[in-house]
Amino acid sequence: MAKYSVFSLVRNALSYHENWQRAWRSPDPKPEYDILVIGGGGHGLATAHYLAKEHGINNVAVIEKGWLGGGNTARNTTIVRSNYLWDESAAIYEHSLKLWEGLSQDLNFNVMFSQRGVMNLAHNLHDWRELNRRVHAIRLNGVDSEILSAAQVKAEAPILNVSPDSRYPIIGASMQRRGGTARHDAVAWGYARAADQRGVDIIQNCEVTGFVINNGRVEGVETTRGPIKAKRVGVAVAGHSSVLADMAGFRMPVESNPLQALVSDPIKPVLDCVVMSSAVHVYISQSDRGEFVIGAGSDLHVSYSQRGSFEIIEGIMGALCELVPMVSRMKMMRQWGGVVDVTPDRSPIVGKTPVEGLFINCGWGTGGFKGTPGSGHAFAATLAAGEPNDMAGPFSLDRFRTGFLIDEAGAAAVAH
Amino acid sequence: MADVVTEMSPLDGRAGSGADTAVIVEHPHLSKINLRGDSGDQAFMDAVADAVGAAPPVEANTVMTAGKHSILWLSPDEWLVVTPEGKQGDMEVALAGTLEGQHVSIVDGTDARTTIRLHGADSRNVLMKGCPLDLHPRIFGPGQCAQSILAKADVLIHQLDDTPTYDIYVLYSFSRYLWDWLADAAKGFS
Amino acid sequence: MFLIDCPYCGPRQQTEFHCHGEAHIARPKDPDAISDVEWADYLFNRSNTKGVFYERWVHNHGCRRWFNLARDTVSDRILAVYRMGEKPPRVKK
Ligand SMILES: Cc1cc2nc3c(=O)[nH]c(=O)nc-3n(C[C@H](O)[C@H](O)[C@H](O)COP(=O)(O)OP(=O)(O)OC[C@H]3O[C@@H](n4cnc5c(N)ncnc54)[C@H](O)[C@@H]3O)c2cc1C
Ligand SMILES: [Zn+2]
């Protein structure tokens, strides 16, 4: 596989860019693999990449029912940060952020990771106290986080309305400068290309329809392209986790809810950081194309339709007009939805299932894009060893029995 | 100690507003008694009829009117008894009297909500700007009421006639906001 | 956006309602007598069905009554509305 570089760009320019090698193969499934990863979103692809790269296991296939990254990976608003409250979360999200920092080099693929800073606004005394508590807890975990006054917020993002007369005045914010955004498709493509290069088979248009389980042990899967055997199987299907669990005969503490986002007309650069507000409930960033990328809450009902309710959009826009009055006359261009897998404690599940050899990685809910590298890294280690590693350990499915929940509902108060 | 209690409404001082074809006026201090009971129980229905002059409506989203009093349907076992101002003491006492001993709830909510009357040919158009109800005359006409949302505020809407005229019941704390919203929504109609 | 036929008020827009998740989850009669696994199953596990799903809604901006819906979670089509205490109707997608 040719490395992407200035030289390859020049070389391909000579043939009018018509002879670029395909970024990954499109092989037929082999009858058997050491490890199968179900779900070709960012998490599944990252898992395959790290299995090959870190653990030397390359007899691996990623099975995707549609196209790569067509699930939440391609539908999210790409906020990356690691300012979570609890130690377990700090460990995995910060690990993830560190991987993000070197990801383009690691994958030889520009994932356009931009550490433009993520600001969380406080609008009342409760917000302010909570935010201070978080900033201190986050710092104690060695993660960067700082507090900004309202004046500093205005300096960082002049388009925000910081008037004390507004309905929900901005009284300050926390800021994680190492946070930012990345290019969603590039993450899927970059991981796919890097994994393929190490021999991983990436199989699209192949839906898993059942598991082959004998004596409580998984031996393979049924797919729309025939059965495939495997020693170990990892499930990373986000919103479809309950569906796959159901095929394997166990239940999950997960609900699949619609989560929407929208983008505005493109305008000149006016916002160079991410701004989030739990109180008025909206978040916004500006893409490299100039569009505002906007999101907020999920619907509360279960749905696999990839569409949310209009009232959510209305709420988002109302909140945004309050926060950024200049948008009130802008047009919104596109709107879409994904199916997010939400757990009771708003933390992911990474580890074993009741079926031996079958592992699951899900529950990243409204905020798992940022976790893609860390999740893939930890899940690869778990699949390679057949045991959760230290980072995955606390995120076991079993925590719902033991009661060792990792309550991050506050961190995800604005679904992002 | 003061022995005169002056009734006050959060909308005091707001003169009629809106447009010629969508006039907004406040009807403050209508007495509003929240009544709960079992409409399947004839004793309950009779006792209410004795006090108000009519039994509570059983059909959803309808209003039973008896002279100056009306009974608005809120849910299968809940109604709002509305009577002209100054009478709240009497009606509450009357209901408590005729329903004595029955398993019911009678709560005076006069000072919880005020009533904004919206009147004129365009008043339906004004409401439609912020209310998810189907207000088309085929669906919603005189003698009907519904609880819903108007510009995000919880409201109870009662259509009085074909003009149309609506009485909008709204919590005190939302009333100024809703008034301003209505005045704004009425702009452009004339 | 759903148009939900409240069993008491008739068809109303979704904005007037609030969804409270899966219906027909019975609280164990004697929590002390069951294992942690069973308790966790009651407390946290959900069917999260892709297909016909039975769920609870409340008409919180209307009559404030609770009721159940049967809905196809793939098409979002509402297949049946029924009252609390009633048996879930058998419906097809
Ligand atoms: C609108 C929106 C905004 C978001 N914003 C953010 C944000 O700003 N920051 C953030 O960190 N996170 C955000 N998220 C969450 C984030 O997108 C997800 O947590 C993350 O992308 C999940 O990645 P994944 O690879 O697990 O899932 P997916 O990308 O959904 O991949 C799962 C794949 O599994 C496949 N699959 C399902 N069933 C089968 C089957 N039977 N056989 C084979 N394949 C199957 C699907 O087709 C899909 O491609 C957002 C999500 C949404 C919807
Ligand atoms: Zn109702």
Side-chain angles (χ1 to χ4, degrees):
Chain A
M1 171 75 60
K3 205 167 147 46
Y4 290 159
S5 68
V6 161
F7 306 108
S8 67
L9 202 60
V10 172
R11 206 162 41 244
N12 279 282
L14 299 176
S15 54
Y16 302 100
H17 296 291
E18 283 175 357
N19 297 324
W20 281 100
Q21 194 184 349
R22 289 219 163 244
W24 56 85
R25 299 161 297 130
S26 193
D28 285 328
K30 291 192 271 185
E32 182 164 4
Y33 291 91
D34 288 342
I35 296 180
L36 272 183
V37 178
I38 307 174
H43 287 229
L45 293 164
T47 304
H49 168 68
Y50 294 118
L51 272 172
K53 184 181 172 224
E54 309 272 322
H55 305 281
I57 305 176
N58 52 15
N59 185 20
V60 173
V62 177
I63 301 178
E64 166 57 47
K65 72 170 174 185
W67 64 95
L68 291 193
N72 291 341
T73 299
R75 293 163 188 273
N76 83 97
T77 47
T78 78
I79 297 172
V80 175
R81 57 187 181 86
S82 65
N83 50 358
Y84 280 68
L85 182 62
W86 300 106
D87 299 1
E88 298 84 352
S89 322
I92 196 161
Y93 286 105
E94 177 60 14
H95 179 57
S96 197
L97 185 51
K98 291 206 171 104
L99 289 170
W100 276 111
E101 287 171 333
L103 198 57
S104 291
Q105 285 71 28
D106 179 22
L107 301 179
N108 178 229
F109 201 103
N110 187 0
V111 299
M112 297 170 77
F113 181 47
S114 157
Q115 291 180 293
R116 58 184 65 187
V118 174
M119 206 150 66
N120 288 76
L121 302 177
H123 296 268
N124 52 48
L125 194 58
H126 170 80
D127 273 4
W128 186 240
R129 286 184 180 145
E130 179 63 19
L131 191 135
N132 275 274
R133 169 187 178 226
R134 281 179 179 277
V135 165
H136 291 306
I138 289 160
R139 277 183 164 160
L140 284 173
N141 272 318
V143 177
D144 75 302
S145 189
E146 59 194 86
I147 289 179
L148 305 181
S149 66
Q152 288 169 310
V153 168
K154 186 72 180 171
E156 293 281 350
I159 65 168
L160 294 183
N161 173 18
V162 297
S163 157
D165 301 331
S166 69
R167 176 69 183 82
Y168 297 101
I170 295 171
I171 62 175
S174 70
M175 168 70 114
Q176 184 178 23
R177 296 205 185 268
R178 286 166 59 242
T181 57
R183 167 89 197 149
H184 44 79
D185 292 325
V187 173
W189 298 337
Y191 272 120
R193 178 169 166 272
D196 175 272
Q197 210 167 348
R198 286 194 156 86
V200 171
D201 281 357
I202 291 164
I203 301 160
Q204 303 180 64
N205 297 313
C206 178
E207 180 171 354
V208 170
T209 53
F211 290 95
V212 183
I213 297 168
N214 266 320
N215 299 323
R217 217 198 136 74
V218 71
E219 292 178 350
V221 299
E222 305 285 353
T223 78
T224 47
R225 293 174 68 177
I228 307 174
K229 284 191 188 162
K231 299 197 181 70
R232 283 184 191 144
V233 178
V235 178
V237 296
H240 279 76
S241 300
S242 303
V243 177
L244 273 283
D246 193 44
M247 290 178 195
F250 59 94
R251 277 157 61 80
M252 292 289 293
V254 168
E255 284 186 305
S256 297
N257 303 132
L259 179 65
Q260 307 181 68
L262 55 157
V263 292
S264 71
D265 268 344
I267 56 168
K268 286 187 177 171
V270 288
L271 179 65
D272 63 358
C273 62
V274 179
V275 180
M276 314 178 69
S277 163
S278 305
V280 302
H281 211 165
V282 70
Y283 62 83
I284 178 170
S285 68
Q286 191 174 14
S287 75
D288 295 334
R289 285 196 292 238
E291 300 157 347
F292 281 139
V293 181
I294 302 157
S298 59
D299 273 293
L300 294 172
H301 58 266
V302 169
S303 182
Y304 293 82
S305 64
Q306 301 196 125
R307 323 167 90 162
S309 309
F310 186 73
E311 67 185 70
I312 300 268
I313 303 176
E314 197 186 357
I316 292 177
M317 293 319 295
L320 197 62
C321 290
E322 163 88 18
L323 210 58
V324 186
M326 65 171 277
V327 305
S328 67
R329 281 163 190 256
M330 285 179 72
K331 290 206 168 59
M332 296 300 133
M333 286 210 306
R334 294 188 303 278
Q335 166 276 342
W336 64 90
V339 188
V340 294
D341 42 337
V342 179
T343 60
D345 62 358
R346 302 297 188 269
S347 283
I349 298 168
V350 186
K352 294 184 167 179
T353 71
V355 179
E356 221 183 306
L358 183 62
F359 298 80
I360 196 154
N361 179 358
C362 69
W364 294 86
T366 60
F369 179 70
K370 64 179 74 65
T372 306
S375 152
H377 204 258
F379 199 40
T382 302
L383 280 168
E387 283 295 326
N389 72 352
D390 286 352
M391 216 159 271
F395 295 98
S396 71
L397 182 56
D398 199 40
R399 75 175 183 273
F400 297 96
R401 179 187 63 84
T402 60
F404 284 106
L405 303 185
I406 304 164
D407 180 7
E408 289 290 359
V414 197
H416 45 278
Chain B
M1 214 165 86
D3 52 4
V4 179
V5 179
T6 315
E7 288 183 312
M8 285 165 63
S9 156
L11 294 177
D12 279 349
R14 306 219 173 188
S17 179
D20 301 348
T21 54
V23 181
I24 308 163
V25 280
E26 190 197 7
H27 278 231
H29 317 306
L30 293 177
S31 116
K32 295 171 274 293
I33 294 160
N34 186 285
L35 175 68
R36 301 197 67 168
D38 177 4
S39 63
D41 179 354
Q42 198 55 47
F44 168 74
M45 299 298 268
D46 291 346
V48 176
D50 281 350
V52 189
V58 184
E59 193 185 333
N61 308 318
T62 61
V63 181
M64 189 64 79
T65 308
K68 290 186 161 179
H69 312 306
S70 354
I71 311 180
L72 284 67
W73 184 94
L74 300 180
S75 93
D77 63 2
E78 187 177 8
W79 298 266
L80 194 68
V81 181
V82 181
T83 75
E85 66 184 286
K87 291 275 184 193
Q88 72 270 32
D90 297 352
M91 182 53 81
E92 193 185 353
V93 170
L95 281 166
T98 59
L99 287 163
E100 170 85 53
Q102 297 199 26
H103 180 65
V104 296
S105 152
I106 305 162
V107 177
D108 183 3
T110 301
D111 297 324
R113 300 175 185 199
T114 186
T115 310
I116 300 173
R117 181 162 292 177
L118 175 64
H119 170 83
D122 279 314
S123 33
R124 179 179 294 115
N125 295 330
V126 170
L127 283 188
M128 277 162 55
K129 285 189 178 183
C131 180
L133 286 176
D134 187 349
L135 295 168
H136 191 280
R138 180 181 63 222
I139 304 291
F140 197 82
Q144 283 191 278
C145 67
Q147 295 166 97
S148 185
I149 303 165
L150 180 56
K152 294 192 186 294
D154 277 324
V155 288
L156 166 63
I157 299 176
H158 173 194
Q159 184 170 343
L160 300 167
D161 58 35
D162 281 319
T163 310
T165 304
Y166 299 98
D167 272 352
I168 304 166
Y169 296 83
V170 59
L171 288 172
Y172 269 16
S173 53
F174 282 85
S175 62
R176 289 181 190 170
Y177 155 75
L178 196 70
W179 178 277
D180 292 345
W181 184 89
L182 284 165
D184 184 65
K187 275 185 197 154
F189 293 112
S190 61
Chain C
M1 180 64 76
F2 305 160
L3 185 64
I4 299 175
D5 197 2
C6 170
Y8 308 100
C9 305
R12 297 287 184 91
Q13 190 181 294
Q14 185 184 350
T15 327
E16 294 184 6
F17 300 85
H18 196 88
C19 180
H20 283 268
E22 184 168 356
H24 309 298
I25 299 175
R27 186 185 164 89
K29 286 223 170 57
D30 185 2
D32 289 338
I34 63 174
S35 68
D36 287 354
V37 173
E38 289 165 309
W39 182 244
D41 189 54
Y42 158 70
L43 213 52
F44 298 122
N45 287 346
R46 295 293 176 264
S47 337
N48 198 26
T49 314
K50 184 177 183 179
V52 180
F53 186 60
Y54 300 91
E55 63 193 358
R56 300 175 306 167
W57 287 76
V58 61
H59 193 185
N60 56 336
H61 296 289
C63 63
R64 298 180 294 285
R65 289 284 179 123
W66 290 71
F67 58 92
N68 298 307
L69 279 193
R71 187 170 52 85
D72 178 359
T73 58
V74 181
S75 66
D76 277 342
R77 186 169 310 166
I78 295 169
L79 304 167
V81 182
Y82 57 105
R83 298 177 185 212
M84 282 293 160
E86 289 180 4
K87 283 229 166 68
R90 291 181 140 269
V91 287
K92 278 212 204 91
K93 273 204 236 181

Tab-separated table of all heavy atoms in Angstrom, chain C residues 6 8-9 17 59 62-64, ligand 2:
chain	number	residue	atom	x	y	z
C	6	CYS	N	-54.450	10.150	22.081
C	6	CYS	CA	-54.651	9.970	23.522
C	6	CYS	C	-55.989	9.268	23.739
C	6	CYS	O	-57.005	9.687	23.183
C	6	CYS	CB	-54.633	11.324	24.229
C	6	CYS	SG	-55.159	11.219	25.954
C	8	TYR	N	-57.949	9.489	25.948
C	8	TYR	CA	-58.917	10.340	26.636
C	8	TYR	C	-59.232	11.619	25.868
C	8	TYR	O	-60.369	12.072	25.857
C	8	TYR	CB	-58.413	10.675	28.047
C	8	TYR	CG	-58.031	9.425	28.792
C	8	TYR	CD1	-56.700	9.035	28.898
C	8	TYR	CD2	-59.020	8.582	29.310
C	8	TYR	CE1	-56.362	7.845	29.541
C	8	TYR	CE2	-58.687	7.397	29.938
C	8	TYR	CZ	-57.362	7.038	30.046
C	8	TYR	OH	-57.038	5.862	30.660
C	9	CYS	N	-58.224	12.210	25.220
C	9	CYS	CA	-58.418	13.513	24.557
C	9	CYS	C	-58.497	13.412	23.042
C	9	CYS	O	-58.844	14.392	22.387
C	9	CYS	CB	-57.276	14.461	24.887
C	9	CYS	SG	-56.996	14.705	26.635
C	17	PHE	N	-46.882	15.380	24.848
C	17	PHE	CA	-46.692	14.125	25.587
C	17	PHE	C	-45.252	13.952	26.051
C	17	PHE	O	-44.355	14.673	25.631
C	17	PHE	CB	-47.041	12.934	24.688
C	17	PHE	CG	-48.454	12.929	24.194
C	17	PHE	CD1	-48.814	13.645	23.057
C	17	PHE	CD2	-49.438	12.217	24.863
C	17	PHE	CE1	-50.117	13.642	22.587
C	17	PHE	CE2	-50.747	12.210	24.402
C	17	PHE	CZ	-51.085	12.925	23.264
C	59	HIS	N	-49.800	12.068	28.881
C	59	HIS	CA	-50.259	13.277	28.184
C	59	HIS	C	-50.073	14.455	29.122
C	59	HIS	O	-51.032	15.023	29.637
C	59	HIS	CB	-51.733	13.096	27.788
C	59	HIS	CG	-52.198	14.129	26.822
C	59	HIS	ND1	-53.495	14.227	26.409
C	59	HIS	CD2	-51.533	15.119	26.176
C	59	HIS	CE1	-53.606	15.240	25.555
C	59	HIS	NE2	-52.438	15.788	25.408
C	62	GLY	N	-51.770	17.740	28.541
C	62	GLY	CA	-53.196	17.620	28.289
C	62	GLY	C	-53.889	17.089	29.527
C	62	GLY	O	-53.864	17.723	30.585
C	63	CYS	N	-54.451	15.881	29.420
C	63	CYS	CA	-55.242	15.341	30.526
C	63	CYS	C	-54.382	14.753	31.653
C	63	CYS	O	-54.910	14.320	32.666
C	63	CYS	CB	-56.191	14.275	29.993
C	63	CYS	SG	-55.327	12.859	29.290
C	64	ARG	N	-53.055	14.720	31.446
C	64	ARG	CA	-52.111	14.234	32.457
C	64	ARG	C	-52.319	12.758	32.808
C	64	ARG	O	-51.959	12.318	33.886
C	64	ARG	CB	-52.151	15.092	33.727
C	64	ARG	CG	-51.756	16.522	33.457
C	64	ARG	CD	-51.783	17.378	34.684
C	64	ARG	NE	-53.119	17.561	35.214
C	64	ARG	CZ	-54.025	18.359	34.674
C	64	ARG	NH1	-53.739	19.066	33.605
C	64	ARG	NH2	-55.228	18.457	35.194
D	2	ZN	ZN	-55.096	13.196	27.014
